[in-house]
Amino acid sequence: LHFSQVGAEYGTTTGRPRRCGWLDIPQMKYSALINGFTSINLTKIDVLTGIPELKLGKSYKYKGETLSSMPASLEVLSNVEVQYETLPGWTEDISTCKTFDELPENCQRYILRVQELLGIPIRWIGVGPNRNDVIDRGEGWDLSFTSGNE
């Protein structure tokens, strides 16, 4: 319910809260694969502020075996067990941050871990509800910065 309220995730017509949950890395990797993403925009990071522990849906398990990618079968997908990785949260307000270095350390670690798991650079980071509340990391960064940060 936190994500729906803080992130204002309600249906435009019905006003019903949208289903929200932890970031699903296998699903994001699949989306990146089929769409050919070379970088991504990670939005609504501000919504995570104040949550003591953050989870990342890192992989799926099906019948005791870890799946290497998102399953092609909806039946299998509906019966997977999500394997989570837990990271520490942050309490600092990030809405006025204009650069990656201004973000709290745990927020930076979260973003870099998502980037590492995806294998795709995160160029833009949404830090507030408005269109211009975005950090643009620009062109000069790469994935080698994140290697070995487990």
Side-chain angles (χ1 to χ4, degrees), residues 78-132:
S78 66
N79 290 296
V80 298
E81 179 185 334
V82 179
Q83 304 299 296
Y84 291 101
E85 178 177 326
T86 304
L87 299 167
W90 59 90
T91 57
E92 300 91 334
D93 178 19
I94 65 170
S95 64
T96 59
C97 294
K98 300 296 179 205
T99 68
F100 184 77
D101 291 336
E102 292 177 21
L103 294 169
E105 188 175 331
N106 285 346
C107 183
Q108 290 180 28
R109 287 182 177 156
Y110 177 86
I111 293 164
L112 292 175
R113 184 61 177 146
V114 170
Q115 178 175 278
E116 180 180 15
L117 291 170
L118 290 176
I120 300 166
I122 296 173
R123 177 172 176 174
W124 302 275
I125 303 160
V127 295
N130 299 312
R131 181 177 296 226
N132 293 327

